[in-house]
Amino acid sequence: MRAHQKTIGRSFTLEGFGVHSGKAATVRFSPADADSGILFRRSDVKASPWLRAHVAEIGATDLCTALGPTEFRINTIEHLMAAVAALGLDNLKIEVDGPEIPILDGTSAQFLQGLDAAGVVEQPAKKRFIKIRKPVRVEGKNAWAEFTPHETMRFEIGIEFDSPLIGQQKYAQDLDEERFRKEISTARTFGFMKDVESLWAAGLALGSSLENSIVIADDHSVINPAGLRFKDEFVRHKTLDAIGDTALAGMPFIGCFRSWRGGHRLNSEAVKALLSDESNFELV
């Protein structure tokens, strides 16, 4: 955890397709001044405001995390935000020419590659952290998420699916940039073939493919020819999502984020609960 804020050295773009919309999307990253924060904007919508990557700006949490009201909404920011958080970036401008960040390969890896090529630059301003002072917990149906005090940034994520391929899986590690790169960044999003028709009928998952998702067949086998990258790739991806979602606290936290059968909605509710009471944390 370094003492100074960071941005990138130059602008760059990435192109792809939205996993839900199926539409082409180009996202542009640019350096930002100290104390700006992570800012998003729709370049295709006239007079679109800059939206802070903050839980106060969350617009939806159904199957992805989105920022902003309907007319300016930017969907599926979580994989990008996980890469930003892992690199410890504090200030960045992100513009996208459509309603969804491109899914790329369904991980954070290509976002990392682009940010690496742009270079990370330290800024004079001091970095700020949210230090967790006491447990904060939210609960859903047979699910929960919480922040607890810890001396580093730690994630303890548990999942459970009614599939023998997944079953119960857990991932628990203190997180730093190196571990994120090796253990988390290449874990892909996943879904079940049995859910595809209902998702398509709802106008979702239109850009999903074997190039950007693990697809699980009705017989609980992996359809992707190359199989899994990790035996526990599913919980690793859920950890990636949690890293991106908790980055919407607005600054990195010092503490442990734990969840069981969580998702985007529960992750965001935990962040909101944390920030709702100043006695839960201190800024350091």
Side-chain angles (χ1 to χ4, degrees):
M1 296 183 180
R2 298 186 179 180
H4 293 90
Q5 295 180 28
K6 294 191 286 188
T7 187
I8 56 174
R10 62 173 177 82
S11 298
F12 71 96
T13 60
L14 292 173
E15 298 178 357
F17 295 87
V19 69
H20 291 302
S21 67
K23 296 179 180 179
T26 299
V27 59
R28 179 176 177 82
F29 298 79
S30 300
D33 294 336
D35 296 320
S36 296
I38 309 300
L39 302 171
F40 285 81
R41 180 178 175 273
R42 286 277 298 275
S43 61
D44 64 317
V45 179
K46 187 176 181 179
S48 176
W50 287 101
L51 301 168
R52 292 185 303 153
H54 192 275
V55 70
E57 300 282 5
I58 286 181
T61 51
D62 299 322
L63 299 180
C64 71
T65 298
L67 290 180
T70 302
E71 62 269 31
F72 305 123
R73 183 153 297 167
I74 301 174
N75 295 299
T76 321
I77 67 167
E78 58 270 16
H79 301 169
L80 185 163
M81 284 303 301
V84 167
L87 289 179
L89 295 172
D90 303 278
N91 306 299
L92 197 61
K93 291 182 178 180
I94 302 165
E95 298 176 272
V96 62
D97 63 352
E100 191 172 12
I101 299 295
I103 191 64
L104 303 178
D105 68 347
T107 76
S108 291
Q110 292 184 32
F111 294 115
L112 277 181
Q113 291 168 10
L115 293 166
D116 284 342
V120 174
V121 177
E122 286 199 357
Q123 298 171 294
K126 290 288 183 69
K127 195 175 185 78
R128 291 185 293 271
F129 299 86
I130 296 172
K131 186 173 177 127
I132 311 302
R133 297 182 63 183
K134 62 183 182 182
V136 177
R137 184 181 176 104
V138 296
E139 297 186 1
K141 184 179 180 181
N142 300 318
W144 53 265
E146 67 180 6
F147 287 93
T148 59
H150 193 73
E151 291 306 308
T152 64
M153 179 185 282
R154 182 175 177 85
F155 287 84
E156 297 181 0
I157 308 298
I159 64 173
E160 182 178 37
F161 283 84
D162 186 19
S163 167
L165 179 66
I166 305 176
Q168 292 188 3
Q169 294 185 359
K170 295 181 180 180
Y171 181 89
Q173 292 286 358
D174 288 4
L175 196 74
D176 56 28
E177 180 183 332
E178 181 179 1
R179 179 164 281 144
F180 181 84
R181 289 181 185 275
K182 290 181 178 180
E183 301 182 10
I184 301 298
S185 70
T186 58
R188 293 163 293 176
T189 192
F190 61 92
F192 294 85
M193 182 60 74
K194 64 182 176 64
D195 297 327
V196 167
E197 288 189 2
S198 60
L199 287 170
W200 286 346
L204 299 169
L206 300 178
S208 182
S209 72
L210 296 181
E211 281 68 49
N212 57 41
S213 305
I214 302 169
V215 181
I216 303 165
D218 292 345
D219 65 358
H220 303 289
S221 64
V222 174
I223 292 177
N224 306 64
L228 297 177
R229 294 175 178 171
F230 310 94
K231 184 178 180 181
D232 60 350
E233 188 168 358
F234 306 101
V235 73
R236 292 187 191 220
H237 184 80
K238 286 292 189 178
T239 303
L240 187 157
D241 282 344
I243 293 166
D245 289 342
T246 56
L248 296 183
M251 61 188 74
F253 66 87
I254 302 172
C256 178
F257 178 76
R258 304 172 65 227
S259 71
W260 174 249
R261 301 183 68 190
H264 300 302
R265 183 184 301 276
L266 208 58
N267 294 343
S268 67
E269 288 177 356
V271 175
K272 288 177 182 178
L274 172 68
L275 300 181
S276 68
D277 185 344
E278 292 184 358
S279 69
N280 293 335
F281 63 92
E282 61 180 314
L283 299 182
V284 298

